Amino acid sequence: MPDPAGVDAETRALLLEAARKRAEAERADAELEARERERESADRSAITTTVMTVFGLALLGSLVVLLLAGLFSGRWETLAPSVTDILKPVLLPILTLVLGYYFGRGGKG
């Protein structure tokens, strides 16, 4: 690299301008990455909230149906295992999906 003292004024001005533009571009890249991370975080939160709300409402509805069916039929010994058998294969995959998506995407980058 030539000595800056031996460079004419026009070349020095061009070098300074190039350095300024490079720093500006690096700042813009960092700002863009920060905005992208914020957007991904907001998306993950919205998806998680939606899935968990739907799941919670479905679980609550199932428990209300179980309670009403038990009160009207009186067969608690057959109703409880039936509802449990229905909820088990649904509960674990949904929770795994939400947690896997939330934490799996969070570690990206």
Side-chain angles (χ1 to χ4, degrees), residues 40-77:
E40 283 182 12
S41 179
D43 289 347
R44 278 194 307 273
S45 294
I47 290 169
T48 302
T49 301
T50 302
V51 170
M52 293 309 291
T53 299
V54 169
F55 175 71
L57 292 174
L59 182 61
L60 183 63
S62 299
L63 293 176
V64 168
V65 168
L66 171 66
L67 181 65
L68 291 175
L71 288 174
F72 289 117
S73 73
R75 292 196 224 158
W76 291 101
E77 65 279 349

Side-chain angles (χ1 to χ4, degrees), residues 14-36:
L14 288 173
L15 287 172
L16 288 173
E17 179 67 17
R20 188 181 64 75
K21 292 281 188 183
R22 181 177 180 180
E24 193 176 294
E26 288 173 355
R27 269 193 309 275
D29 282 346
E31 194 175 298
L32 182 63
E33 285 179 26
R35 278 195 225 143
E36 189 175 302

Side-chain angles (χ1 to χ4, degrees), residues 1-4 15:
M1 179 114 195
D3 180 27
L15 287 172

